[in-house]
Amino acid sequence: MVLAELGGRITCAIRKMNNVTIIDEKSLNECLNEITRALLQSDVSFPLVKNMQTNIKNIVNLQDLAVGHNKRKIIEQAIFSELCKMLDPGKPVFNPKKTKPSVVMFVGLQGSGKTTTCTKYAYHHQKKGFKPALVCADTFRAGAFDQLKQNATKAKIPFYGSYTESDPVKIAVEGVDRFKKENCDLIIVDTSGRHKQEASLFEEMRQVAEATKPDLVIFVMDSSIGQAAFDQAQAFKQSVSVGAVIITKMDGHAKGGGALSAVAATKSPIIFIGTGEHMDEFEVFEAKPFVSRLLG
Ligand code: GDP
């Protein structure tokens, strides 16, 4: 199953209940089983899905609902609120402060939108009065430094990188040190990606993290990656201590079902979504509109 269908399948399961005359235990179970299957096939973890099912059954106590209650509405609302809850891992996210320099490291596969998102994140904080800086520790992709440089220049954000140095750890450390000396309060380290999950990439991420000691590691994920979401997010989480997720390309067709898997795999909240190629096409993540879209 393609993840983009997750929302569609859940919506379909809810709509099926509109075709039954009486909503009883059987039709509710059928609906919840279909949602459970869809979530499990989207690699959302079993305990999470099981928990959701139990919670919905507790909220929707069919026997206790008096005649006249709109059972469909109550079930729909319970499913909606449980999906919102699944997007909240209940863990506070690190927030940079202007009083102390913070290092934020970005990780993700090549093409996920990592470099673009680094600048968007920097620009967002610059507008809030931060003094951000960008470090290009991606020595793998030809043109990565030029891209970061171009974005940074457009946003008037200081940047650091090298055309000749091939050791990403060295560049990352030099960049972080330099910007700490220059009193930047938000130092953003962009790292390499690969087309697929590879041991060498994760080793590199581990080394960059060890050397720069980031306050926050952000995992960037393309909303359209489909079923690979859980594995990909988990692979990064196992190498570096991911503390937040950003989902990109939400302006495309993808409904973002993979977000549930990314949260489950990293046990970290989604903090922003990317909604276009431009610097300001970036929004603070909010669960309710996200779930509405997922089910829409
Ligand atoms: P990286 O390889 O992960 O660093 O990815 P890039 O930042 O180079 O982005 C890859 C492509 O995705 C570029 O063409 C970006 O303009 C595009 N991109 C990044 N974020 C978004 C987004 O939120 N929406 C859209 N439509 N495109 C995006």
Side-chain angles (χ1 to χ4, degrees):
M1 178 191 137
V2 177
L3 262 176
E5 293 170 7
L6 172 63
R9 279 184 69 179
I10 295 175
T11 311
C12 190
I14 298 171
R15 286 206 186 122
K16 262 190 204 157
M17 278 190 314
N18 291 335
N19 300 332
V20 296
T21 335
I22 302 162
I23 295 184
D24 52 13
E25 212 66 39
K26 185 169 168 274
S27 48
L28 175 62
N29 278 340
E30 272 169 15
C31 170
L32 292 182
N33 287 341
E34 175 58 21
I35 294 173
T36 300
R37 270 195 299 276
L39 288 167
L40 288 176
Q41 281 167 15
S42 301
D43 292 331
V44 178
S45 76
F46 181 74
L48 215 74
V49 178
K50 192 82 204 132
N51 193 31
M52 172 184 181
Q53 204 178 35
T54 313
N55 288 350
I56 294 175
K57 280 193 170 168
N58 286 341
I59 299 169
V60 188
N61 193 337
L62 290 173
Q63 263 115 46
D64 290 354
L65 283 181
V67 184
H69 262 114
N70 188 341
K71 291 179 186 169
R72 282 188 184 90
K73 194 101 209 119
I74 292 168
I75 294 169
E76 259 186 68
Q77 279 167 353
I79 293 168
F80 187 90
S81 94
E82 282 304 309
L83 287 172
C84 289
K85 263 183 21 202
M86 282 171 85
L87 285 165
D88 174 11
K91 198 176 84 176
V93 69
F94 170 83
N95 268 318
K97 310 247 171 348
K98 287 174 203 153
T99 46
K100 173 186 169 287
S102 305
V103 177
V104 177
M105 176 176 163
F106 277 68
V107 299
L109 285 193
Q110 194 163 313
S112 60
K114 194 163 29 68
T115 304
T116 310
T117 307
C118 280
T119 322
K120 286 178 171 180
Y121 184 81
Y123 183 65
H124 173 89
H125 285 89
Q126 190 185 44
K127 282 192 292 183
K128 289 185 171 295
F130 280 86
K131 208 180 151 200
L134 288 158
V135 179
C136 176
D138 179 356
T139 52
F140 186 80
R141 180 165 63 99
F145 181 38
D146 272 332
Q147 188 190 345
L148 181 129
K149 199 167 150 180
Q150 225 173 50
N151 292 347
T153 309
K154 221 188 272 175
K156 298 190 174 60
I157 293 165
F159 58 89
Y160 183 83
S162 168
Y163 288 111
T164 50
E165 178 56 62
S166 60
D167 180 359
V169 178
K170 193 159 181 271
I171 300 179
V173 170
E174 281 172 7
V176 168
D177 285 351
R178 169 187 294 198
F179 290 128
K180 275 188 178 163
K181 282 192 194 108
E182 290 180 9
N183 293 323
C184 291
D185 46 25
L186 181 57
I187 305 163
I188 296 158
V189 182
D190 187 14
T191 59
S192 300
R194 303 282 193 277
H195 286 301
K196 52 187 173 61
Q197 294 148 229
E198 283 172 21
S200 59
L201 171 67
F202 296 120
E203 179 53 24
E204 185 176 318
M205 295 304 98
R206 210 187 49 70
Q207 287 179 14
V208 173
E210 200 174 285
T212 56
K213 307 232 168 341
D215 298 281
L216 174 65
V217 177
I218 299 179
F219 168 61
V220 178
M221 194 185 88
D222 184 331
S223 60
S224 64
I225 64 159
Q227 218 167 352
F230 190 89
D231 273 359
Q232 195 184 109
Q234 194 177 45
F236 278 98
K237 175 76 177 181
Q238 279 163 356
S239 320
V240 281
S241 117
V242 171
V245 177
I246 294 180
I247 310 286
T248 62
K249 308 185 191 179
M250 284 301 293
D251 49 313
H253 294 300
K255 289 193 167 179
L260 287 166
S261 305
V263 171
T266 60
K267 298 183 179 60
S268 303
I270 301 167
I271 51 172
F272 290 98
I273 55 170
T275 55
E277 299 199 10
H278 296 112
M279 206 138 25
D280 54 358
E281 287 173 321
F282 195 55
E283 293 171 16
V284 172
F285 175 78
E286 281 182 82
K288 283 182 182 168
F290 194 90
V291 173
S292 295
R293 175 185 168 137
L294 189 71
L295 300 180

